[in-house]
Amino acid sequence: MINLINKQLQQFAQTAGDKPRTNLVIHLAAVNLLALLKGQSLGKDPIYPAIYWQDKEQQQTIACLGQIEECTNIPQPTAQACYFGGLAFQQQGEQWLDFPAIRFIRPALEFKLQQQKLTLTCHFNGLHRIDKTIALVNMLQPPQALTAVETTILSRSDLPNQAQWADLVDLAIEYKALLPKVVLSRETQLLCKNRVNHLDLLAQWQQANPNSFHFSVQFSQKHAFISCSPERLFCRKKSQLKTEALAGTINRGRTEREDAFLSQSLLTDKKIDRENYLVQEFIIANLKQLKAKISCEDAYVMQLQNVQHLCVPINATLNAQTTDANLLYKLHPTPAVGGSPKLPALQFINDKEPYLRGWYAGAVGYLSSEKSDFSVAIRSALMTDHSIKLFAGAGIVTGSIAAQEWQELDNKIGTVLDILSAQKGVR
């Protein structure tokens, strides 16, 4: 593979010069892109940034290595540019190490798998030297087989703990006149006996919940942020937009009959309907401010391994002047992860939650002139050394019961806990 890429890069240099202004696309034999990234992560000189992305329809899988540009604002791509990255849950205040309020990169190497066909796009912008890309290609390591996660959980700590959670839920309900809904969340930190490879964990998570977004973002060796998120913030193809109100959660049943009963209750429960409606209302109001033409589809139940959610798809035709930055700032964070009204809910979370959300419940994805796709980074984990931090949230409205919401948080992190405990194999 390396010889083929280098040969085409050298031929490209003869016509495009030392600093090409256009991308080079190379066709390659298909490989598993998680395995490709794992090979780089275990090499003597790992390449960063290293980003993995798969949309929830599984139409495309992408692996990015290296960068030719970095932005700490939301870029507006032109021509062949494509940027990968994301936004933190809140733009103000302290952020995670490596993960600032906004960080996007234009990759040096972008591997894309579509319909079992693999292409490599070598990005150029008229400033990046082709010999730097050749040097990066020469650092590539062979793919490494994905293996079962093998570790022992030595300890678990929750922030907030269960008593603090109950107090927070009671306090949120007291504020119901100002805050019809606020999404409270929890960080669960696991200390593991062995260091867990984040790509092995993501591979098993992917198998458990295939109908989700799957991504991994690693800017340095220190931290990896991974997610198996069921929630789309938006997908834009030219002027056509797809988004969704995903709010309202119930666990899966132990039998088919119980599962069907619980699924039906999602569609009829007044508390869940109110919770979801607040999200719909927010999205529609903000798209109308951008002068979009909007239509909603019927609600349906999205089923995952341990939980199921009420989802209402929303479609829109955008005004020609609307940018991805407009959409990100207007739609993120939705009441599905923040609350309603937006600003009081964010202030409540900022003041009362005892940990830093960082990119949890942020927006992660990519943008280009033709298409942009962003997931809401729920069902996520921040991994470093022997530590895994898992995140989960629950919408608090009138009628919420702290003990039930705490159980919902456990259900939402249950898939990862099962993987870490069960020692299952990976195909």
Side-chain angles (χ1 to χ4, degrees):
M1 180 171 77
I2 291 175
N3 290 339
L4 171 63
I5 298 169
N6 277 335
K7 183 179 178 182
Q8 294 210 25
L9 280 166
Q10 288 158 1
Q11 290 173 350
F12 186 57
Q14 292 172 9
T15 56
D18 292 340
K19 297 178 181 178
R21 294 181 177 274
T22 58
N23 295 343
L24 171 66
V25 178
I26 302 170
H27 297 274
L28 300 169
V31 297
N32 182 305
L33 293 184
L34 275 177
L36 177 69
L37 286 176
K38 184 178 176 183
Q40 312 324 305
S41 74
L42 299 178
K44 182 181 175 183
D45 296 304
I47 302 169
Y48 300 111
I51 295 173
Y52 176 84
W53 171 268
Q54 184 182 71
D55 60 41
K56 69 176 177 177
E57 294 82 13
Q58 298 180 43
Q59 291 180 347
Q60 57 182 11
T61 306
I62 297 169
C64 300
L65 289 165
Q67 66 181 45
I68 66 167
E69 293 176 42
E70 181 171 339
C71 306
T72 52
N73 55 10
I74 300 168
Q76 189 166 351
T78 56
Q80 297 177 313
C82 186
Y83 295 86
F84 295 80
L87 290 72
F89 173 70
Q90 295 215 48
Q91 302 302 291
Q92 296 77 34
E94 187 184 355
Q95 302 292 346
W96 291 347
L97 186 67
D98 283 346
F99 295 88
I102 301 172
R103 189 169 185 179
F104 285 92
I105 61 110
R106 183 173 178 184
L109 305 176
E110 178 193 343
F111 296 87
K112 182 183 290 184
L113 191 62
Q114 285 183 295
Q115 298 176 339
Q116 297 304 307
K117 293 180 180 178
L118 180 65
T119 57
L120 165 62
T121 300
C122 301
H123 284 258
F124 295 101
N125 57 4
L127 299 171
H128 182 74
R129 293 182 62 85
I130 203 164
D131 57 2
K132 287 192 173 182
T133 296
I134 291 172
L136 195 67
V137 168
N138 288 331
M139 292 170 63
L140 290 175
Q141 299 296 312
Q144 289 289 319
L146 300 160
T147 57
V149 170
E150 291 187 11
T151 194
T152 301
I153 299 171
L154 300 177
S155 68
R156 167 180 169 167
S157 58
D158 296 304
L159 267 180
N161 62 32
Q162 193 163 1
Q164 293 167 329
W165 172 260
D167 290 341
L168 271 178
V169 170
D170 289 345
L171 187 61
I173 292 171
E174 281 180 29
Y175 278 71
K176 63 183 178 183
L178 296 172
L179 276 179
K181 175 183 178 180
V182 63
V183 180
L184 298 178
S185 68
R186 183 185 75 192
E187 173 192 278
T188 297
Q189 182 170 10
L190 309 175
L191 290 180
C192 300
K193 185 176 181 181
N194 310 325
R195 180 168 185 157
V196 174
N197 185 288
H198 63 286
L199 299 166
D200 287 333
L201 178 57
L202 183 57
Q204 289 182 254
W205 207 351
Q206 193 176 59
Q207 287 180 16
N209 283 317
N211 56 336
S212 293
F213 289 94
H214 309 110
F215 63 80
S216 168
V217 182
Q218 192 172 21
F219 293 114
S220 78
Q221 199 161 11
K222 294 174 183 173
H223 304 93
F225 182 57
I226 68 171
S227 176
C228 182
S229 171
E231 185 171 359
R232 167 170 275 131
L233 183 64
F234 68 82
C235 177
R236 177 194 59 79
K237 291 182 181 178
K238 295 189 177 178
S239 64
Q240 298 304 304
L241 186 85
K242 288 194 307 182
T243 181
E244 62 196 20
L246 187 77
T249 305
I250 203 162
N251 61 318
R252 295 297 303 269
R254 290 165 294 185
T255 64
E256 256 187 61
R257 184 175 178 182
E258 184 184 14
D259 203 38
F261 174 80
L262 290 169
S263 179
Q264 184 60 32
S265 71
L266 264 180
L267 296 167
T268 55
D269 186 282
K270 289 183 178 179
K271 170 184 168 290
I272 286 171
D273 183 65
R274 182 168 65 251
E275 188 181 342
N276 192 284
Y277 179 73
L278 289 170
V279 181
Q280 293 175 53
E281 193 176 43
F282 168 87
I283 293 171
I284 291 166
N286 280 279
L287 287 175
K288 281 183 176 177
Q289 287 178 21
L290 296 173
K291 298 181 170 55
K293 296 177 182 177
I294 306 150
S295 63
C296 295
E297 299 179 26
D298 292 337
Y300 75 97
V301 175
M302 180 187 294
Q303 293 189 318
L304 304 174
Q305 187 181 46
N306 288 344
V307 295
Q308 41 196 337
H309 302 290
L310 184 65
C311 183
V312 176
I314 299 169
N315 303 303
T317 300
L318 298 172
N319 184 288
Q321 281 71 48
T322 301
T323 65
D324 290 316
N326 296 147
L327 293 167
L328 285 165
Y329 284 129
K330 281 290 185 185
L331 297 180
H332 167 70
T334 73
V337 292
S340 180
K342 179 177 178 176
L343 293 180
L346 296 184
Q347 190 62 54
F348 186 92
I349 290 165
N350 190 59
D351 292 344
K352 306 299 181 186
E353 281 193 348
Y355 81 98
L356 184 63
R357 282 199 186 189
W359 278 32
Y360 160 64
V364 174
Y366 70 88
L367 36 87
S368 68
S369 58
E370 289 290 304
K371 180 182 177 181
S372 299
D373 202 3
F374 281 85
S375 169
V376 181
I378 56 174
R379 306 305 133 76
S380 53
L382 181 66
M383 301 178 63
T384 177
D385 281 332
H386 293 242
S387 165
I388 301 174
K389 291 180 178 178
L390 304 175
F391 306 97
I396 308 303
V397 296
T398 302
S400 294
I401 298 168
Q404 292 178 0
E405 305 297 346
W406 182 266
Q407 182 59 50
E408 181 179 313
L409 302 182
D410 278 348
N411 291 340
K412 286 175 175 175
I413 66 170
T415 300
V416 175
L417 292 176
D418 288 346
I419 290 168
L420 294 171
S421 303
Q423 317 294 315
K424 298 174 196 169
V426 176
R427 291 193 298 272

